[in-house]
Amino acid sequence: MKAAILGTTGYTGMILLRLLAGHREITEILPGSSSHAGMALCDTDYGLSSSVLSSSVLLKTRGREGRLLSVEEVVAAKPDVVFAALPHLASVKVCAPFFGNTPLIDLSADLRLKDPLLFERTYGEKPPRPDILERAVYGLAEWFTADIKRADVIANPGCYPTATLLPLLPLSRAGLLKGLVITSALSGISGAGRNVKQAYLFCERSENTCAYSPGRVHRHQPEIRQGLDSVAGSGLDILFTPHLVPLKQGMAVTSVAELTRPLGSDEVEAVYREAYGDRPCVRLTGDRIPETLHVRGSNRCDIGWHIEGDRIILLSVIDNLWKGASGQAVQNMNIRFGFAEAEGLSLHGEI
Amino acid sequence: MKAAILGTTGYTGMILLRLLAGHREITEILPGSSSHAGMALCDTDYGLSSSVLSSSVLLKTRGREGRLLSVEEVVAAKPDVVFAALPHLASVKVCAPFFGNTPLIDLSADLRLKDPLLFERTYGEKPPRPDILERAVYGLAEWFTADIKRADVIANPGCYPTATLLPLLPLSRAGLLKGLVITSALSGISGAGRNVKQAYLFCERSENTCAYSPGRVHRHQPEIRQGLDSVAGSGLDILFTPHLVPLKQGMAVTSVAELTRPLGSDEVEAVYREAYGDRPCVRLTGDRIPETLHVRGSNRCDIGWHIEGDRIILLSVIDNLWKGASGQAVQNMNIRFGFAEAEGLSLHGEI
Amino acid sequence: MKAAILGTTGYTGMILLRLLAGHREITEILPGSSSHAGMALCDTDYGLSSSVLSSSVLLKTRGREGRLLSVEEVVAAKPDVVFAALPHLASVKVCAPFFGNTPLIDLSADLRLKDPLLFERTYGEKPPRPDILERAVYGLAEWFTADIKRADVIANPGCYPTATLLPLLPLSRAGLLKGLVITSALSGISGAGRNVKQAYLFCERSENTCAYSPGRVHRHQPEIRQGLDSVAGSGLDILFTPHLVPLKQGMAVTSVAELTRPLGSDEVEAVYREAYGDRPCVRLTGDRIPETLHVRGSNRCDIGWHIEGDRIILLSVIDNLWKGASGQAVQNMNIRFGFAEAEGLSLHGEI
Amino acid sequence: MKAAILGTTGYTGMILLRLLAGHREITEILPGSSSHAGMALCDTDYGLSSSVLSSSVLLKTRGREGRLLSVEEVVAAKPDVVFAALPHLASVKVCAPFFGNTPLIDLSADLRLKDPLLFERTYGEKPPRPDILERAVYGLAEWFTADIKRADVIANPGCYPTATLLPLLPLSRAGLLKGLVITSALSGISGAGRNVKQAYLFCERSENTCAYSPGRVHRHQPEIRQGLDSVAGSGLDILFTPHLVPLKQGMAVTSVAELTRPLGSDEVEAVYREAYGDRPCVRLTGDRIPETLHVRGSNRCDIGWHIEGDRIILLSVIDNLWKGASGQAVQNMNIRFGFAEAEGLSLHGEI
């Protein structure tokens, strides 16, 4: 199978390239880049194995071995699946040639919010393609599996919504939560992408931590609310405060929710086992608190919990670039094409 | 004035030594250490300026220039003020010779909780000296100033309570908050002291973040609740979850509280100005979100806020070793002895 | 094939476990530990994938699914190959039952130095088993390949010698270098293992860098000299200064050597191509300077160079835990058993 | 005394502001900025103490309390001393109005190299003001003290030359070194200034280390050679390789030099004591190896050494933004105006 990547030189694109190069069902990768088309991959990604750079998985037409392709070249090469790892508000435009022709997994936020008004309020523009918005399946892999199998366009979830929704949805669906969920999320700096801004310099972020965009109507909150509504229709609300912490890859989310009735830890575990028991990318840690290092470089979401009277504290961790982006995108491709769900994905975290 | 430090080789002791060496009112420092008595200071603290090591501020009796003193030697040297930078549950025992004789500022948790039952529930032992517990003034410098001026024993607050209480107390006292405050706190690794445990190794903490001790009856929660009660008696409750983040010095606290009535940002600012307007160690940042780097190496607590409907999000940052420990201890000494409140304390954060 | 690990809970053991779990030729892993025998693996290594923990690759005899085995249990289970990831001077003793019976790859320094006198001078003890010392093949994979294929005992090289020798040996063998090589090496903190010492605490190593053990007769220098001698007998000498830098995994070595005659960069490249042209774990970067991030989590050694008059500056990087330890150990197993040289080993560095 | 800073919003400018605000002889600071003139200081430097922002040390003319001044405004305010913390090749142009009128300390490289041809070869342009080049005194404070006292223009040394020359010069002057010095230098990321480039992003530099610009005729090597020549005229040569390590502030330099005759450590110490015995900003650590953390936030250079046969290994550390830039600039002002050499400068490193 031939897989194309649009945006190969960003962090999520670089990880997609590694994951697809090790995926048993992918025989060819088309590495696209609008900004660096024509450049040799080995000059934009020094970490790539030489064997990949010179091997048959990279497009070899027209003598352009191991080179980044323009979008037109990608289109011409007729990929079987396209991963768009492009900036928000640019992605849908670049992807236009593929809609209706090629299964597409979009890692941007362009197709996540279903409500055009909410989209506009959140991103400051009307949705560029409301028709696609409607068709796009929200790719939270453990929850919309059936839809993903039939999807032409998959809107890959954001890292914050992934890490926040996975622990909330099972309890919410079971009617165990009510009221306002108060969520505090800690993100590594790669969540900002390969954005060259002063705020992301090493000297500005090392030995530094802070909250940002607290509780405003920003991109994370509506996406999380939509996810909550779509599963349970429970009227649960959420107040979400993200924080930047000085690590590269990793996200830890702490949610405090009100219980609708007294619950034991075993009961919580049972609800989670029902939701995730056979799914490879979620692990329950119970009253052991999960740490981001243990899921770094893996597609796992680890979930722990602690009951405190009429509240429950939910603790979840992911690697924001894996389960929070490129890893989940490959998981979605696996589901869409009927491959083993974790094919090509490491489930080991770091030591 | 002669100042003694008990526990000079831990992180808070090392900072106390630097602060006192630059303090205009301190003419002599007695650096005590039970574990390293007799060793030369320059062999336990390589960062100290040579001029301090050889200067008159260090005890020169008996030819022991620049050497760490035993507790007995400290007692014999009759200090005018004692800083105890010792481990919890050990501090009060070591400090016994000074009670009633010498003003003492205790940086441990031994004298913070007033209620003996709560103390026992929190620390697993009966309070070693209930008599002292009662007399000890809680040294949250901006709030118990009058008591600190008269205190013989000052229980220096923990870093989490300091950073959590400073934004909550003014609003709570004004009757503007109700219900359950949900607090998420991020701490640098030095919060654990110079504890040689596997969990605090560089390789275990770099590229890692996690919550710990969520919401349990642990040492932070009762101290914060006691602080809330003592100021406002408001019946405010708090659910507190601390997190470890990979930086050395810095603490960021995000609290979400329910408002008793609609509030504008100006009104919040007015309440804070009334509480802190003339105090040098608190800065209001309004809707700019404070960052820990900007208070690193300073005795400032920066406070910002964001109103979201019927909730307010309070954002505060401190350097856990300064305003959260040694810096506030010096501030308390300044208040106790009538010096300028910020004498000897930097109010600049890092660049 | 059944592979055993002795010392599964250290950093190199944890990586060996991950590598072997993904190795196509390994059907069973025997995770040994003298200190933690009997404990569940999932309680000592939180990052491991659940699928590994419960799968057939872990020993299932006697109902001890996913548990750490004592050395006796490992012996009884008759492994086909043993990896010893144990501390220096302890390793050879623990490994005694396997000598002569089972191919063994020792990651400690116990069997690296051939000369018993040099061993004693370096480690302060007589070599515990001089008979084994003699038989052990030095496992610098690209250089002693033929010997490794026939070896019963392989002494896996240290990380410093690996990163230092790989760029030096080809030029030395070709007679292009003379005199004293001046080497400066930078190592991540994991080079010290999972050693619980104050010097390796996060708060002591972050924002800190320093040299250590400069030029003394310590463990790195004799091993490097022996490597130089064994290949070229050139009489090249080396003065080696290691440094600690605040990262977890990564090693960068900068060597300055005197040339025996004027050389062009092309000629250097030709010498390297002859030595490493078909070897998967060495990459030549020419005048692009290699960075540790690009080999992190990979078994690659990247080598660059710069000619400056009659000197050449050699620049090499490895991941000290991969090519510098566990990765090279698996590479050696692959060579020993006739598997593909990089089977089970990632050759991609991080993004 | 009125001190002006040109380039207040860069890292060296921000530190100058803090140092001058605490300097007893400075009564007014004029914070200049070509790019941010007119902005409030509190909006460009969030770490600054409010007391500084509102105090009399900042220019209060024309109601512009706590605002950044244009160069013209700085000129009009007639400072008594000017610190130029501007980019290379821009500095001399901006400073033109002050030459001949006001003592100027230039932190850029514009005035460091005396030889116009060498300047052109190093920086790719002819020196903008050869007349000033000639008059500028090289501000290596411990070595050109007498000249600095009389200087109108002081060329503040680079961080690499400072940390490299301080250990070399005493031995070189004493005729104890010969041949080619091989130097390896490790620098924190702030050495690159507040430069917004992809290479300096947190995600590119954390968990990463590498050499750069090895041995070429770049800006460090000629400046160091000129320093060596000017003191000893010894014909010592140097081959210098800098490395980037993932910390913010700190520089460690390891030089290996050939001795002209056998030397004992005591003799080395005697030479250093003669050179630096009474100077407050140099500390000798002998055979204890200096670490950057111990000089972070201080104006100290710590120097250690190790003799190995006919070579000596010299180990020196500084904070690149203090003794390597802003701290030494203040030290130079102190010398120039007859203040105590370390006035306003901390000599304590971090804990």
Side-chain angles (χ1 to χ4, degrees):
Chain A
M1 208 166 99
K2 239 187 298 190
I5 302 167
L6 305 177
T8 310
T9 63
Y11 292 139
T12 52
M14 292 166 87
I15 291 188
L16 278 169
L17 195 58
R18 283 157 174 74
L19 294 178
L20 295 172
H23 195 289
R24 286 184 222 180
E25 309 284 350
I26 302 298
T27 51
E28 198 174 332
I29 302 173
L30 307 164
S33 168
S34 35
S35 53
H36 294 78
M39 279 186 70
L41 254 181
C42 64
D43 290 335
T44 62
D45 186 343
Y46 297 133
L48 274 186
S49 158
S50 326
S51 64
V52 166
L53 293 173
S54 62
S55 82
S56 61
V57 298
L58 288 171
L59 184 70
K60 289 184 163 186
T61 52
R62 284 164 287 171
R64 312 193 70 178
E65 196 169 308
R67 301 217 160 250
L68 288 160
L69 307 175
S70 67
V71 177
E72 294 68 37
E73 290 175 303
V74 171
V75 172
K78 295 189 192 294
D80 299 305
V81 64
V82 173
F83 293 88
L86 297 163
H88 302 312
L89 296 174
S91 187
V92 162
K93 288 164 206 164
V94 176
C95 293
F98 300 105
F99 293 135
N101 302 316
T102 314
L104 184 132
I105 301 168
D106 182 17
L107 283 79
S108 85
D110 285 6
L111 300 168
R112 291 178 193 155
L113 294 183
K114 293 299 155 203
D115 176 346
L117 283 176
L118 188 59
F119 185 100
E120 193 175 349
R121 217 159 52 224
T122 308
Y123 294 101
E125 295 186 13
K126 280 191 196 307
R129 289 285 299 266
D131 56 321
I132 305 292
L133 210 60
E134 213 169 283
R135 261 162 57 197
V137 169
Y138 188 65
L140 189 63
E142 282 76 11
W143 284 88
F144 305 100
T145 320
D147 294 335
I148 292 166
K149 282 182 180 165
R150 293 185 302 264
D152 269 345
V153 180
I154 297 169
N156 213 56
C159 47
Y160 283 123
T162 296
T164 305
L165 288 170
L166 286 175
L168 281 173
L169 290 182
L171 301 180
S172 173
R173 184 175 60 178
L176 297 168
L177 307 181
K178 68 178 177 188
L180 180 68
V181 180
I182 307 286
T183 299
S184 173
L186 283 53
S187 173
I189 313 301
S190 65
R194 214 174 186 179
N195 234 323
V196 183
K197 287 191 184 163
Q198 184 176 285
Y200 304 130
L201 291 178
F202 181 89
C203 291
E204 309 282 326
R205 296 265 60 89
S206 77
E207 273 293 288
N208 196 6
T209 191
C210 62
Y212 68 99
S213 306
R216 272 164 247 238
V217 178
H218 63 64
R219 68 173 68 144
H220 321 113
Q221 187 127 342
E223 187 182 335
I224 299 172
R225 279 215 47 175
Q226 174 185 282
L228 287 172
D229 290 350
S230 68
V231 164
S234 63
L236 264 193
D237 201 358
I238 188 161
L239 189 53
F240 180 87
T241 307
H243 300 75
L244 276 180
V245 296
L247 44 87
K248 182 172 178 178
Q249 292 167 239
M251 173 167 286
V253 175
T254 299
S255 291
V256 179
E258 204 174 341
L259 295 168
T260 51
R261 60 175 177 82
L263 263 189
S265 184
D266 288 357
E267 211 171 344
V268 173
E269 183 162 356
V271 172
Y272 279 131
R273 290 232 171 273
E274 202 198 318
Y276 299 127
D278 58 340
R279 301 304 288 261
C281 300
V282 173
R283 176 188 294 180
L284 307 178
T285 69
D287 58 6
R288 177 169 66 74
I289 294 175
E291 308 194 16
T292 59
L293 185 64
H294 303 142
V295 297
R296 195 183 190 271
S298 101
N299 202 49
R300 269 171 31 218
C301 176
D302 280 10
I303 299 175
W305 58 88
H306 171 74
I307 298 167
E308 182 88 7
D310 58 353
R311 310 266 163 167
I312 188 164
I313 303 178
L314 303 174
L315 305 144
S316 49
V317 295
I318 60 170
D319 183 324
N320 54 300
L321 293 181
W322 280 69
K323 181 64 179 166
S326 309
Q328 185 155 247
V330 169
Q331 186 183 3
N332 280 326
M333 175 188 76
N334 289 339
I335 293 171
R336 167 65 178 73
F337 287 90
F339 308 145
E341 186 168 345
E343 168 54 34
L345 295 167
S346 172
L347 296 178
H348 298 299
E350 295 215 345
I351 63 166
Chain B
M1 207 167 100
K2 240 189 296 190
I5 302 168
L6 305 177
T8 310
T9 63
Y11 292 138
T12 52
M14 293 166 86
I15 291 188
L16 279 169
L17 195 57
R18 283 156 174 75
L19 294 178
L20 295 172
H23 195 287
R24 287 184 221 178
E25 309 284 351
I26 302 297
T27 50
E28 198 174 332
I29 302 172
L30 307 164
S33 168
S34 34
S35 53
H36 294 79
M39 280 187 69
L41 255 180
C42 63
D43 291 335
T44 62
D45 187 341
Y46 298 133
L48 274 187
S49 160
S50 325
S51 63
V52 166
L53 293 173
S54 61
S55 83
S56 62
V57 298
L58 288 170
L59 184 70
K60 289 183 160 188
T61 52
R62 285 163 288 175
R64 313 195 67 179
E65 195 170 309
R67 301 215 161 252
L68 290 159
L69 307 175
S70 67
V71 177
E72 293 69 35
E73 290 175 302
V74 172
V75 172
K78 295 191 192 295
D80 299 306
V81 64
V82 173
F83 293 88
L86 297 162
H88 302 312
L89 297 174
S91 188
V92 162
K93 289 163 205 162
V94 176
C95 292
F98 300 105
F99 294 135
N101 303 316
T102 315
L104 183 134
I105 300 169
D106 182 16
L107 284 78
S108 85
D110 285 6
L111 299 169
R112 293 180 193 153
L113 295 182
K114 294 298 156 202
D115 176 346
L117 284 175
L118 189 59
F119 185 101
E120 191 174 351
R121 216 159 55 225
T122 307
Y123 294 101
E125 296 186 13
K126 279 190 196 307
R129 289 284 299 267
D131 56 321
I132 305 294
L133 210 60
E134 214 167 282
R135 262 162 56 198
V137 169
Y138 188 64
L140 189 63
E142 282 76 12
W143 285 88
F144 305 99
T145 320
D147 294 335
I148 293 166
K149 283 181 182 166
R150 293 184 301 264
D152 270 344
V153 181
I154 298 169
N156 212 54
C159 47
Y160 283 124
T162 296
T164 305
L165 288 170
L166 286 176
L168 281 172
L169 289 182
L171 301 178
S172 173
R173 185 176 60 178
L176 297 169
L177 307 181
K178 67 177 176 188
L180 180 67
V181 180
I182 307 287
T183 299
S184 174
L186 284 53
S187 173
I189 312 302
S190 65
R194 213 171 186 181
N195 234 323
V196 184
K197 287 192 184 162
Q198 185 176 284
Y200 304 130
L201 291 177
F202 181 90
C203 292
E204 310 281 326
R205 295 265 61 89
S206 78
E207 273 293 288
N208 196 6
T209 193
C210 62
Y212 68 99
S213 306
R216 272 165 250 237
V217 178
H218 64 65
R219 70 173 65 145
H220 321 111
Q221 188 127 342
E223 187 182 335
I224 299 171
R225 278 216 47 176
Q226 173 184 282
L228 288 172
D229 290 352
S230 68
V231 164
S234 63
L236 265 193
D237 202 359
I238 188 161
L239 190 53
F240 181 87
T241 307
H243 299 76
L244 276 181
V245 296
L247 45 88
K248 182 171 178 179
Q249 291 167 241
M251 171 166 287
V253 174
T254 300
S255 290
V256 179
E258 204 172 342
L259 296 167
T260 52
R261 60 174 178 83
L263 263 190
S265 184
D266 288 357
E267 211 171 344
V268 173
E269 183 161 354
V271 172
Y272 279 131
R273 290 229 172 274
E274 203 198 317
Y276 299 127
D278 59 341
R279 301 305 289 262
C281 300
V282 173
R283 177 188 294 179
L284 308 178
T285 69
D287 59 5
R288 177 168 68 72
I289 294 174
E291 309 195 17
T292 59
L293 184 64
H294 304 142
V295 297
R296 193 183 191 272
S298 102
N299 201 49
R300 269 173 29 219
C301 175
D302 280 10
I303 299 175
W305 58 87
H306 171 74
I307 298 167
E308 183 89 7
D310 58 353
R311 310 265 163 170
I312 188 164
I313 304 177
L314 303 174
L315 305 144
S316 49
V317 295
I318 60 170
D319 183 322
N320 53 300
L321 293 181
W322 281 67
K323 181 63 179 165
S326 309
Q328 184 156 245
V330 170
Q331 187 184 3
N332 280 324
M333 175 188 75
N334 289 339
I335 292 171
R336 167 65 178 72
F337 288 89
F339 307 146
E341 185 167 346
E343 168 53 34
L345 295 167
S346 173
L347 297 177
H348 298 298
E350 295 216 345
I351 63 165
Chain C
M1 208 167 97
K2 241 188 296 189
I5 302 168
L6 304 178
T8 310
T9 63
Y11 292 140
T12 52
M14 293 166 86
I15 291 188
L16 278 169
L17 195 59
R18 283 156 173 74
L19 294 178
L20 296 172
H23 195 288
R24 287 184 220 178
E25 308 284 350
I26 301 298
T27 51
E28 199 174 331
I29 301 173
L30 307 163
S33 169
S34 36
S35 53
H36 294 79
M39 279 186 70
L41 255 180
C42 63
D43 290 336
T44 62
D45 186 343
Y46 298 133
L48 274 187
S49 159
S50 324
S51 63
V52 166
L53 293 173
S54 62
S55 82
S56 62
V57 298
L58 287 170
L59 184 70
K60 290 184 160 186
T61 52
R62 284 163 288 173
R64 312 194 69 179
E65 196 171 307
R67 299 214 162 254
L68 289 160
L69 307 175
S70 67
V71 177
E72 294 69 37
E73 290 174 304
V74 171
V75 173
K78 293 189 192 295
D80 299 306
V81 63
V82 173
F83 292 88
L86 297 164
H88 303 312
L89 296 173
S91 187
V92 161
K93 288 162 206 165
V94 176
C95 292
F98 300 105
F99 293 135
N101 302 316
T102 315
L104 184 133
I105 300 168
D106 182 16
L107 283 78
S108 85
D110 285 6
L111 300 168
R112 291 179 194 154
L113 294 183
K114 294 298 155 204
D115 176 345
L117 283 176
L118 189 59
F119 186 101
E120 192 175 349
R121 218 161 50 226
T122 308
Y123 294 102
E125 296 187 13
K126 280 191 196 305
R129 288 284 300 266
D131 57 320
I132 304 293
L133 209 60
E134 213 168 283
R135 261 162 56 197
V137 169
Y138 188 65
L140 189 63
E142 281 76 12
W143 284 88
F144 305 99
T145 321
D147 294 335
I148 292 166
K149 282 181 181 165
R150 293 184 302 264
D152 268 346
V153 181
I154 297 169
N156 213 57
C159 46
Y160 283 123
T162 296
T164 305
L165 288 170
L166 286 175
L168 282 172
L169 290 183
L171 301 179
S172 173
R173 183 176 62 179
L176 297 168
L177 307 181
K178 68 176 175 188
L180 180 67
V181 180
I182 307 286
T183 299
S184 173
L186 284 53
S187 173
I189 312 302
S190 65
R194 214 173 186 181
N195 235 323
V196 183
K197 288 192 184 160
Q198 185 176 287
Y200 304 131
L201 291 178
F202 181 88
C203 291
E204 309 280 326
R205 295 264 61 90
S206 78
E207 273 293 287
N208 196 6
T209 192
C210 62
Y212 68 99
S213 307
R216 273 164 248 237
V217 178
H218 64 64
R219 68 172 65 143
H220 322 111
Q221 188 128 339
E223 187 182 336
I224 298 171
R225 280 215 47 175
Q226 173 184 280
L228 287 172
D229 290 350
S230 68
V231 164
S234 63
L236 264 193
D237 202 359
I238 189 160
L239 190 54
F240 181 87
T241 307
H243 300 75
L244 277 181
V245 295
L247 44 87
K248 182 172 179 179
Q249 293 167 238
M251 173 166 287
V253 175
T254 299
S255 291
V256 179
E258 206 174 341
L259 295 168
T260 52
R261 61 176 176 81
L263 264 188
S265 184
D266 289 357
E267 210 171 343
V268 174
E269 183 161 356
V271 172
Y272 280 131
R273 290 230 171 274
E274 203 198 318
Y276 299 128
D278 58 340
R279 301 304 289 261
C281 300
V282 174
R283 177 187 294 181
L284 307 178
T285 69
D287 59 4
R288 178 169 66 73
I289 294 175
E291 309 194 18
T292 59
L293 184 64
H294 303 142
V295 297
R296 193 184 191 272
S298 101
N299 202 50
R300 269 175 26 221
C301 176
D302 280 11
I303 299 175
W305 59 88
H306 171 73
I307 298 167
E308 183 87 6
D310 58 354
R311 311 264 163 170
I312 188 164
I313 304 177
L314 303 174
L315 305 144
S316 48
V317 295
I318 60 170
D319 183 324
N320 54 300
L321 293 181
W322 281 67
K323 180 65 179 166
S326 308
Q328 185 156 247
V330 170
Q331 186 184 3
N332 280 326
M333 175 188 76
N334 289 338
I335 293 171
R336 168 65 179 73
F337 288 89
F339 308 145
E341 185 168 344
E343 168 55 32
L345 295 167
S346 173
L347 297 178
H348 298 300
E350 294 216 345
I351 62 167
Chain D
M1 209 169 96
K2 240 189 296 190
I5 301 168
L6 304 177
T8 310
T9 64
Y11 293 139
T12 52
M14 293 165 86
I15 290 187
L16 279 169
L17 195 57
R18 283 156 174 76
L19 294 179
L20 295 172
H23 195 287
R24 286 184 221 178
E25 309 283 351
I26 302 298
T27 51
E28 198 175 332
I29 301 173
L30 308 163
S33 168
S34 36
S35 53
H36 295 78
M39 280 187 69
L41 255 181
C42 64
D43 290 335
T44 62
D45 187 342
Y46 297 133
L48 274 187
S49 159
S50 326
S51 64
V52 166
L53 293 173
S54 62
S55 83
S56 61
V57 297
L58 288 170
L59 184 70
K60 289 183 162 186
T61 51
R62 284 163 288 174
R64 312 195 70 178
E65 198 171 306
R67 301 216 161 251
L68 289 160
L69 307 175
S70 67
V71 177
E72 293 70 35
E73 290 175 303
V74 172
V75 173
K78 294 190 193 292
D80 299 306
V81 63
V82 173
F83 293 88
L86 298 163
H88 302 311
L89 296 175
S91 187
V92 163
K93 288 164 205 162
V94 176
C95 292
F98 300 105
F99 294 135
N101 303 316
T102 316
L104 184 133
I105 300 169
D106 182 17
L107 284 79
S108 84
D110 285 7
L111 300 169
R112 292 179 193 152
L113 295 183
K114 294 299 157 202
D115 176 347
L117 283 176
L118 189 60
F119 185 101
E120 191 174 350
R121 216 159 54 224
T122 308
Y123 294 101
E125 296 186 14
K126 279 190 197 307
R129 289 284 300 265
D131 56 321
I132 305 294
L133 210 60
E134 214 167 284
R135 260 163 56 199
V137 169
Y138 188 64
L140 189 63
E142 282 76 12
W143 284 87
F144 305 99
T145 320
D147 294 335
I148 292 165
K149 282 181 182 167
R150 292 184 302 264
D152 270 344
V153 180
I154 298 169
N156 212 57
C159 46
Y160 284 122
T162 296
T164 305
L165 288 170
L166 286 176
L168 282 172
L169 289 183
L171 302 179
S172 173
R173 184 176 59 179
L176 297 168
L177 307 181
K178 68 177 176 188
L180 181 67
V181 180
I182 308 286
T183 299
S184 173
L186 284 53
S187 173
I189 312 301
S190 66
R194 214 172 185 180
N195 234 324
V196 184
K197 287 193 183 161
Q198 185 176 286
Y200 303 130
L201 291 177
F202 181 90
C203 291
E204 309 281 325
R205 295 264 62 89
S206 77
E207 272 292 288
N208 196 6
T209 192
C210 63
Y212 69 99
S213 307
R216 272 164 250 236
V217 178
H218 64 65
R219 68 172 68 143
H220 322 110
Q221 188 127 342
E223 187 181 336
I224 299 171
R225 278 215 48 174
Q226 173 184 283
L228 288 172
D229 289 351
S230 68
V231 164
S234 64
L236 265 192
D237 202 359
I238 189 160
L239 191 53
F240 181 87
T241 307
H243 300 75
L244 277 180
V245 296
L247 44 87
K248 182 173 178 178
Q249 290 167 241
M251 171 165 290
V253 174
T254 300
S255 290
V256 178
E258 205 172 341
L259 296 168
T260 52
R261 61 175 177 83
L263 264 189
S265 185
D266 287 357
E267 211 171 344
V268 173
E269 184 161 355
V271 173
Y272 280 132
R273 290 229 172 275
E274 202 199 317
Y276 300 127
D278 59 339
R279 303 302 290 261
C281 300
V282 173
R283 176 187 295 180
L284 308 178
T285 69
D287 59 4
R288 177 168 67 72
I289 294 175
E291 309 194 17
T292 60
L293 184 63
H294 304 142
V295 297
R296 193 183 191 274
S298 101
N299 202 49
R300 270 175 24 222
C301 176
D302 280 10
I303 299 176
W305 58 89
H306 171 75
I307 298 167
E308 183 89 5
D310 59 353
R311 311 264 163 171
I312 188 164
I313 304 178
L314 303 174
L315 305 144
S316 49
V317 296
I318 59 169
D319 182 323
N320 53 300
L321 293 182
W322 281 67
K323 181 63 179 166
S326 309
Q328 184 156 247
V330 170
Q331 186 183 2
N332 280 325
M333 175 188 75
N334 289 338
I335 293 171
R336 168 65 179 72
F337 287 90
F339 308 146
E341 185 168 345
E343 167 55 33
L345 294 167
S346 173
L347 296 178
H348 298 299
E350 295 217 344
I351 63 165

